[in-house]
């Protein structure tokens, strides 16, 4: 009997640790596994043409530019990488975006860099099923103001082949100002 207890005790003592390890493993697997929302992001994979309208200041006449966007899911379908190439104000433009859905936090995260700056814009937000839109907010450095300013980006999915992105910032008077609108059309 003593011998049986000596054999069983280590097994019984390890059971709570094993259960904790299984719980931790399940939590990690849930966090790292792409789900329905990642599949939704993948619907935007492919090549898109875009037309951008942007305003350098409130009330200023708009400028326009065009280009091509390439979207693809990376790292096993966990993130969507976007590469944008075109012209802006007569200069070559290239921007890279990385869009994520964080399974743990239940939010979208977007990082953006381009050749018109040297910083990283980081935004977070949520999806609205009713409007088919993703609203992201955060801060970005404004070289004209010499400081970070509040930013908002709204991505609206009209259908599988047409998306719109609108960018807003908070002006000196605290009011929201639209600075950019991009119309994307899937290239067939």
């Amino acid at each position: 009997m003593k011998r049986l207890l000596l054999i069983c005790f280590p097994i019984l003592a390890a059971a709570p640790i094993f259960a904790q390890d299984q719980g931790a493993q399940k939590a990690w697997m849930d966090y790292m596994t792409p789900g329905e929302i990642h599949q939704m992001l993948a619907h935007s994979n492919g090549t898109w043409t875009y037309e951008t309208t942007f305003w350098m200041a409130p009330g200023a006449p708009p400028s326009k530019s065009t280009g091509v966007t390439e979207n693809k899911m990376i790292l096993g379908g966990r993130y969507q990488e976007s590469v944008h190439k075109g012209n802006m104000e007569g200069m070559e433009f290239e921007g890279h975006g990385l869009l994520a859905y964080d399974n743990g936090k239940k939010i979208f995260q977007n990082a953006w860099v381009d050749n018109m700056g040297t910083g990283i814009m980081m935004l977070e937000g949520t999806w609205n099923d009713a409007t088919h839109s993703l609203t992201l907010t955060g801060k970005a450095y404004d070289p004209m103001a010499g400081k970070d300013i509040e930013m908002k980006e709204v991505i609206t999915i009209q259908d599988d082949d047409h998306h719109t992105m609108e960018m807003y910032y908070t002006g000196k008077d605290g009011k929201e100002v639209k600075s950019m609108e991009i119309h994307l059309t899937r290239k067939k």
Side-chain angles (χ1 to χ4, degrees), residues 145-165:
K147 63 180 181 177
D148 280 346
I149 59 172
E150 299 288 329
M151 301 292 295
K152 180 172 89 172
E153 181 178 310
V154 180
I155 301 168
T156 304
I157 299 177
Q158 286 85 14
D159 57 47
D160 286 344
D161 297 327
H162 301 92
H163 298 181
T164 302
M165 190 281 283

Side-chain angles (χ1 to χ4, degrees), residues 83-107:
V83 177
H84 309 263
K85 293 183 179 183
N87 261 304
M88 188 174 279
E89 295 288 291
M91 295 186 293
E92 228 177 84
F93 174 78
E94 183 173 343
H96 292 244
L98 189 61
L99 182 60
Y101 178 74
D102 187 312
N103 285 338
K105 294 179 179 180
K106 308 289 187 223
I107 59 168

Side-chain angles (χ1 to χ4, degrees), residues 12-174:
L12 292 173
I17 294 169
F18 181 70
Q20 287 175 358
D21 287 346
Q22 281 186 318
Q25 185 177 14
K26 182 185 178 330
W28 197 262
M29 291 301 292
D30 290 346
Y31 181 67
M32 70 178 271
T33 303
E36 286 181 34
I37 294 175
H38 299 91
Q39 291 170 14
M40 179 186 81
L41 290 176
H43 287 297
S44 296
N45 282 354
T47 304
W48 299 72
T49 59
Y50 68 80
E51 181 177 290
T52 302
T53 303
F54 57 96
W55 298 266
M56 294 302 290
S63 295
K64 293 193 179 276
S65 68
T66 59
V68 176
T69 296
E70 185 72 37
N71 292 332
K72 68 179 179 179
M73 297 302 286
I74 61 170
L75 298 175
R78 290 172 176 84
Y79 307 93
Q80 186 176 69
E81 178 184 62
S82 297
V83 177
H84 309 263
K85 293 183 179 183
N87 261 304
M88 188 174 279
E89 295 288 291
M91 295 186 293
E92 228 177 84
F93 174 78
E94 183 173 343
H96 292 244
L98 189 61
L99 182 60
Y101 178 74
D102 187 312
N103 285 338
K105 294 179 179 180
K106 308 289 187 223
I107 59 168
F108 288 86
Q109 298 169 319
N110 191 15
W112 175 261
V113 295
D114 60 43
N115 64 332
M116 300 287 172
T118 54
I120 300 174
M121 182 171 66
M122 301 289 297
L123 305 173
E124 292 187 337
T126 57
W127 174 257
N128 182 325
D129 253 346
T131 61
H132 301 280
S133 64
L134 173 60
T135 301
L136 302 150
T137 59
K139 292 184 179 188
Y141 184 75
D142 178 355
M144 294 175 286
K147 63 180 181 177
D148 280 346
I149 59 172
E150 299 288 329
M151 301 292 295
K152 180 172 89 172
E153 181 178 310
V154 180
I155 301 168
T156 304
I157 299 177
Q158 286 85 14
D159 57 47
D160 286 344
D161 297 327
H162 301 92
H163 298 181
T164 302
M165 190 281 283
E166 298 168 286
M167 182 70 73
Y168 302 86
Y169 67 91
T170 302
K172 293 177 187 175
D173 58 2

